[in-house]
Amino acid sequence: DNNTTWNLGLGVGRDRIGSTNDASLHERRRTLELTAGVTQALTPTDLAQLSLTVSRGRGYFSDPYKDPDIRPDRRNIGILLA
């Protein structure tokens, strides 16, 4: 009985940030996201799932429409789902 499902995922984001309030704003942001997980069927009605997601971003994370809004230029995120 093949009751196990594995998953892998990759996401890449490349953004250009501008503002209608500030024409001189020309920034970039890059994000890489990896996810891996497993799902196991325990009974015909019960599942167990475990997933891990890691995301790393660099670039402009501030909100150009909030003043002042100054955020770091790097963002690391880890998510564990059980």
Side-chain angles (χ1 to χ4, degrees):
D1 297 60
N2 194 4
N3 296 330
T4 304
T5 303
W6 297 89
N7 70 59
L8 281 172
L10 170 69
V12 176
R14 296 179 58 158
D15 300 310
R16 293 182 185 166
I17 293 97
S19 170
T20 57
N21 296 340
D22 182 3
S24 67
L25 180 65
H26 299 287
E27 297 287 344
R28 293 179 183 265
R29 175 176 56 216
R30 293 169 308 282
T31 306
L32 175 65
E33 187 170 302
L34 302 168
T35 186
V38 61
T39 302
Q40 177 69 45
L42 303 174
T43 70
T45 58
D46 294 320
L47 297 176
Q49 180 179 11
L50 183 66
S51 296
L52 175 65
T53 301
V54 176
S55 177
R56 293 187 162 228
R58 291 184 182 211
Y60 188 81
F61 286 96
S62 299
D63 187 336
Y65 297 102
K66 291 182 180 177
D67 189 34
D69 187 53
I70 301 170
R71 300 180 190 183
D73 62 353
R74 294 179 185 196
R75 182 174 290 174
N76 298 318
I77 300 170
I79 302 167
L80 179 64
L81 171 68

